[in-house]
Amino acid sequence: MIGACFYGSFQPWIPSLLCQSQNSRHFPVPFVHSKRGARRSLFYAASTGARAEVRSEGNVAVQSDGSIAIKKKASEISADLKGTSIFLVGISSNHKLALGRILADSLRYYYFDSDGLVEEAAGGKDAALSLLERDEEGYLASETEVLRQLSSMGRLVVSAGNGAVKSATNLALIRHGISIWIDVPLDIVADDLINKELQLPASDMAKFTAFPDDHSLALEHALAELASLYDNARIGYSTADATISLQGVAARLGRDDLSSVTPEDLCIEALKKIEKLVKVKKMMQEAARPF
């Protein structure tokens, strides 16, 4: 079992990262050239915190109308949001990670990946995997401790791991903020995974076996493993305050190709969902006031 020393390490450690996160959030990554195109590269780059230009067919991406719309919508809801933290749940994906970073930037919040915090406290991903093998109960307890501390803070966007929705205690902790389920088709996640554009957290990796060398078999294997993870967490996902479906966003934008949906598109959708939730809460509070 993880002792008090391990838990105690979180107390000064998580808050100290608040002053580092703004500087460490963005770093260069190599351009991704593949037949899947620049749109997929945008999510891969944004999920790692990169702010590099993404080039495709000789064109250079510049600040879009979407970026301007994001800043406008974020400024409109910030006052009523009052620093309430945002928790993103759902299967680990570049879409979820990219949205977390962009949403945090737009609201001038700090961004954290709860799985990443657990792994760093354990001494890295390999150490976290070893801990899971030796003491799964202790690892799950450390996930709860991370969520407990994050939920006690304000002005955070947290990309929460699957552990956040697998216990009543953890679900109660993320209810301290606004929770949003980011629902991405599993075939897209599987494709990113076997092309090494996505690395799953230790808690999910522990349930995977080695991928076959054959690409088609590897994709089939990844889909099966991801489907198992999804099924085990789906009930928890469904308790979120709002849901953002990649397919739903594409449909509302009139796009048939899911890869045409950008991180900015998802951010606008998230801000609209947050705005609606905040308005409902405000109306309920006003209705409860005595005459």
Side-chain angles (χ1 to χ4, degrees):
M1 181 65 67
I2 300 177
C5 180
F6 184 81
Y7 287 139
S9 68
F10 284 109
Q11 296 298 331
W13 182 66
I14 293 179
S16 71
L17 285 177
L18 287 172
C19 60
Q20 300 174 20
S21 63
Q22 293 293 356
N23 292 328
S24 62
R25 184 179 298 159
H26 309 295
F27 52 91
V29 296
F31 293 124
V32 180
H33 296 287
S34 73
K35 64 181 180 181
R36 294 181 301 161
R39 291 297 187 189
R40 293 292 292 277
S41 302
L42 283 171
F43 278 104
Y44 174 61
S47 70
T48 60
R51 281 179 175 259
E53 293 176 337
V54 178
R55 292 178 169 84
S56 176
E57 304 298 330
N59 296 322
V60 179
V62 296
Q63 186 178 29
S64 64
D65 291 340
S67 298
I68 297 170
I70 286 171
K71 292 178 181 177
K72 184 176 183 294
K73 179 58 69 177
S75 67
E76 290 173 355
I77 69 173
S78 288
D80 288 336
L81 190 55
K82 297 179 180 177
T84 302
S85 291
I86 313 296
F87 292 85
L88 306 181
V89 302
I91 205 81
S92 183
S93 67
N94 284 331
H95 295 72
K96 178 179 158 189
L97 296 173
L99 172 60
R101 291 179 181 277
I102 294 175
L103 187 58
D105 279 347
S106 69
L107 293 170
R108 302 182 69 82
Y109 275 23
Y110 294 101
Y111 170 77
F112 285 111
D113 177 348
S114 65
D115 280 323
L117 291 176
V118 174
E119 290 172 9
E120 285 192 46
K125 191 177 292 288
D126 290 341
L129 284 167
S130 177
L131 177 61
L132 265 169
E133 293 173 0
R134 298 193 320 271
D135 183 13
E136 184 176 4
E137 184 180 347
Y139 185 92
L140 295 176
S142 69
E143 287 184 321
T144 297
E145 180 60 22
V146 165
L147 288 172
R148 192 185 311 281
Q149 291 202 34
L150 291 174
S151 66
S152 71
M153 304 175 195
R155 303 190 67 81
L156 302 182
V157 173
V158 179
S159 180
N162 271 347
V165 300
K166 289 185 177 179
S167 77
T169 298
N170 291 356
L171 283 170
L173 290 172
I174 66 175
R175 297 296 294 179
H176 287 221
I178 293 172
S179 56
I180 305 176
W181 175 12
I182 312 304
D183 192 12
V184 178
L186 296 183
D187 60 329
I188 291 178
V189 181
D191 196 35
D192 282 347
L193 189 60
I194 64 174
N195 281 288
K196 299 182 179 179
E197 291 185 6
L198 172 69
Q199 188 174 45
L200 292 177
S203 55
D204 292 344
M205 283 178 62
K207 298 175 176 61
F208 273 59
T209 54
F211 291 140
D213 291 333
D214 180 83
H215 185 276
S216 297
L217 291 177
L219 183 59
E220 183 180 339
H221 179 79
L223 272 170
E225 298 283 8
L226 288 169
S228 178
L229 288 173
Y230 181 88
D231 289 341
N232 288 333
R234 186 172 183 173
I235 293 176
Y237 296 157
S238 66
T239 66
D241 297 310
T243 300
I244 295 177
S245 161
L246 183 63
Q247 292 162 310
V249 173
R252 278 188 286 280
L253 294 172
R255 300 174 189 171
D256 296 325
D257 183 3
L258 296 186
S259 67
S260 69
V261 178
T262 67
E264 288 79 11
D265 293 330
L266 290 186
C267 189
I268 285 288
E269 184 74 9
L271 290 170
K272 288 178 178 178
K273 298 277 188 181
I274 293 167
E275 180 181 40
K276 187 176 296 185
L277 289 166
V278 169
K279 283 182 177 178
V280 170
K281 181 179 179 181
K282 189 176 180 180
M283 289 172 60
M284 292 175 65
Q285 288 174 337
E286 290 176 351
R289 289 177 186 170
F291 292 104

